[in-house]
Amino acid sequence: MNGRKNGLVVLGFVLTTILMASAISVLIASCHYSRLSFQLINAICGEVLKQIPEGKNVLLVALEESIEKNDLGGLTGGDKGRVPAYRMEEEEAGTKSSEDLLSTLGYHPSDFFDLFTRKTVLYAAAGFLSGTFLFMGTFWYRNKKEAVRIQALAEYLEQVNTGKGIILSTSGEDDFSKLEDEIYKTVTFLYQTKDAALQARNGFAENLSNIAHQIKTPLTALSLSVQMMKQDFHGTHLEQMEKQILRLTRLEEALLMLSRIDAGTIELKENEVDVFTILTLGAENLQELFLNSGVTIDIPELGEMMIVADLDWTMEALMNLMKNCMEHSAGGTVHCCYGQNPLYTEILIWDDGKGFAKKDLPHLFERFYRGQHAREEGIGIGLALAKEIIERQNGTIRAQNRPEGGALFEIRFYCH
């Protein structure tokens, strides 16, 4: 029901109210006018009788003739019952006050309705009936339009349930507009949820494919090593098997960690921790790897700077970034720096290596992505895990190449 139809309904109800109110007002005014007329005639007759007591019969005849002339008193031409009544009660009437003289004589206010007053009452009755019919017609019209609107919304929901729903077009402002908006919001949310579920399913299938590919490589190496050992036992085969088993173990741990993050079972604590403390603890856990690779790490102490984060998980994320820089430093140094302003706390981690390949930059934080300079034993999960942990703690991470050379990770933890 559009605005024009809604306006017609409102106009119908307004006209109905005006007609019925006018009819009732005219009826009340007519009754009041009749009573005033009765009181005025009663007062005049009383004064006449006071001034001319012998004019009682003349006055009574005049009243009867006036009523018979307009034929409004309910008396026929041969009905002369009031004169004898007056004469029979003449003595009693003479003792009454002028205020109730006509009532004593048997007259009522309705006996003095003139033709205009009667027509007014008829017009009022006709107006009241017209208003009643107009109200019924408007009410029927409104119910019909509401039924059409409800049917249209029901059909739209049926189309949505069968997967054929289209965008709901607005039909103007009316009582159903808010319901229409809420239905549209709900349907839009359902479509978005459906799309998200499809994307999640596709992503899950892709992850399974990547996992199978990652597991296949060490399993193939293990199988070859076992076959070689059957032919010629040599210590290098054991080393190769041990290396691949270690890789499988790391892969299993990383996948378990990612699955816990995706399932939302990891609870990240919100504690105030010092940035220097996180970096120092992370470097200590990687000390053996740094010594074996011949890479040093530089973490300056720049004063206490607190962030709200989970110490263990944030340290895990920063360790993955340090390890990535270590693997690409080629005997250089991994640098760490940090600063703070009213908006965020920034942590920079960079190396002195060759930096990222240009084609790798858009995909560095994708799961199972291995860049151009990735090491053979890498599985492509570390950076994706670091990104998940940081972003879940109101942070951001960005990777870029430094103008002086080397890869740079920029991490920001926002205060609000």
Side-chain angles (χ1 to χ4, degrees):
M1 184 165 54
N2 55 31
R4 179 174 176 273
K5 294 179 180 179
N6 194 30
L8 291 176
V9 172
V10 174
L11 180 61
F13 282 122
V14 170
L15 291 177
T16 298
T17 304
I18 292 174
L19 282 173
M20 298 182 74
S22 299
I24 295 173
S25 299
V26 169
L27 185 61
I28 294 174
S30 298
C31 294
H32 183 65
Y33 172 76
S34 174
R35 186 168 296 278
L36 288 178
S37 299
F38 179 79
Q39 293 174 356
L40 179 60
I41 295 173
N42 190 35
I44 294 173
C45 291
E47 290 297 325
V48 170
L49 290 179
K50 286 181 180 180
Q51 299 296 329
I52 311 173
E54 64 275 10
K56 295 178 181 179
N57 292 332
V58 177
L59 180 60
L60 183 59
V61 171
L63 290 174
E64 292 293 337
E65 288 180 354
S66 176
I67 294 174
E68 291 177 359
K69 181 179 179 181
N70 290 323
D71 195 22
L72 298 174
L75 301 174
T76 61
D79 190 357
K80 303 297 182 180
R82 293 189 188 275
V83 177
Y86 173 75
R87 289 172 179 171
M88 290 172 58
E89 300 177 1
E90 183 176 354
E91 296 296 330
E92 182 181 355
T95 62
K96 296 289 184 179
S97 64
S98 60
E99 294 181 357
D100 55 0
L101 176 63
L102 295 181
S103 297
T104 303
L105 297 175
Y107 290 105
H108 302 282
S110 59
D111 295 330
F112 297 93
F113 272 18
D114 56 14
L115 184 60
F116 172 76
T117 307
R118 292 261 177 164
K119 288 183 177 179
T120 302
V121 173
L122 292 177
Y123 292 151
F128 186 84
L129 290 176
S130 299
T132 302
F133 287 124
L134 180 60
F135 175 81
M136 295 175 61
T138 304
F139 190 76
W140 174 83
Y141 178 79
R142 180 176 180 272
N143 286 345
K144 181 180 179 181
K145 294 303 177 183
E146 286 184 351
V148 172
R149 289 282 279 128
I150 293 173
Q151 182 64 27
L153 293 175
E155 291 177 355
Y156 173 73
L157 290 177
E158 289 178 0
Q159 293 177 356
V160 171
N161 292 332
T162 57
K164 299 178 182 179
I166 58 177
I167 296 178
L168 184 62
S169 59
T170 58
S171 302
E173 293 294 331
D174 59 11
D175 295 337
F176 290 90
S177 297
K178 184 172 179 58
L179 175 61
E180 190 176 59
D181 292 340
E182 293 301 323
I183 290 176
Y184 176 74
K185 291 177 184 178
T186 303
V187 172
T188 303
F189 176 75
L190 290 176
Y191 278 131
Q192 292 175 349
T193 303
K194 179 182 178 181
D195 293 339
L198 290 176
Q199 292 178 1
R201 186 186 67 180
N202 295 334
F204 180 72
E206 183 179 355
N207 287 338
L208 283 179
S209 176
N210 289 327
I211 291 170
H213 177 73
Q214 293 289 339
I215 294 177
K216 182 178 180 181
T217 301
L219 286 178
T220 302
L222 284 172
S223 177
L224 290 175
S225 297
V226 170
Q227 292 179 9
M228 294 294 294
M229 288 179 65
K230 288 181 179 180
Q231 298 176 4
D232 181 21
F233 180 80
H234 198 276
T236 56
H237 298 315
L238 288 176
E239 293 178 0
Q240 181 68 18
M241 293 177 66
E242 184 179 11
K243 183 178 179 181
Q244 297 301 328
I245 291 174
L246 181 61
R247 183 180 179 186
L248 281 173
T249 301
R250 290 201 305 269
L251 177 61
E252 182 269 336
E253 292 175 351
L255 291 175
L256 179 61
M257 194 175 300
L258 285 175
S259 64
R260 291 175 62 190
I261 291 177
D262 290 340
T265 57
I266 293 180
E267 295 184 3
L268 298 176
K269 301 177 181 178
E270 296 183 356
N271 299 321
E272 286 194 349
V273 292
D274 181 52
V275 175
F276 178 75
T277 302
I278 299 175
L279 292 173
T280 303
L281 292 176
E284 290 177 357
N285 289 333
L286 296 175
Q287 184 177 6
E288 185 176 352
L289 290 177
F290 275 98
L291 290 175
N292 293 335
S293 61
V295 178
T296 60
I297 183 167
D298 176 34
I299 305 176
E301 186 173 359
L302 302 176
E304 185 180 67
M305 297 184 190
M306 309 298 293
I307 62 173
V308 178
D310 186 290
L311 175 61
D312 295 331
W313 283 105
T314 306
M315 183 176 64
E316 178 74 23
L318 297 182
M319 285 172 56
N320 286 333
L321 302 180
M322 293 177 184
K323 192 187 327 181
N324 187 276
C325 289
M326 178 197 68
E327 293 172 352
H328 297 86
S329 292
T333 301
V334 175
H335 303 272
C336 299
C337 187
Y338 50 94
Q340 194 172 52
N341 60 42
L343 295 179
Y344 55 82
T345 300
E346 184 177 61
I347 302 174
L348 303 178
I349 302 176
W350 72 91
D351 59 60
D352 300 324
K354 299 179 181 179
F356 301 110
K358 188 175 181 180
K359 67 176 183 179
D360 293 336
L361 282 173
H363 309 286
L364 287 175
F365 298 104
E366 294 179 3
R367 296 182 182 183
F368 304 107
Y369 181 81
R370 302 179 73 251
Q372 181 177 344
H373 305 300
R375 299 179 66 176
E376 182 180 354
E377 62 271 16
I379 56 179
I381 293 181
L383 295 183
L385 179 61
K387 182 174 183 292
E388 294 278 354
I389 295 173
I390 292 171
E391 288 185 348
R392 286 193 58 184
Q393 299 183 105
N394 197 31
T396 60
I397 182 172
R398 186 175 61 159
Q400 57 184 321
N401 289 319
R402 300 173 65 241
E404 302 86 353
L408 169 66
F409 291 102
E410 180 185 275
I411 305 102
R412 292 180 178 178
F413 290 96
Y414 289 87
C415 300
H416 302 286

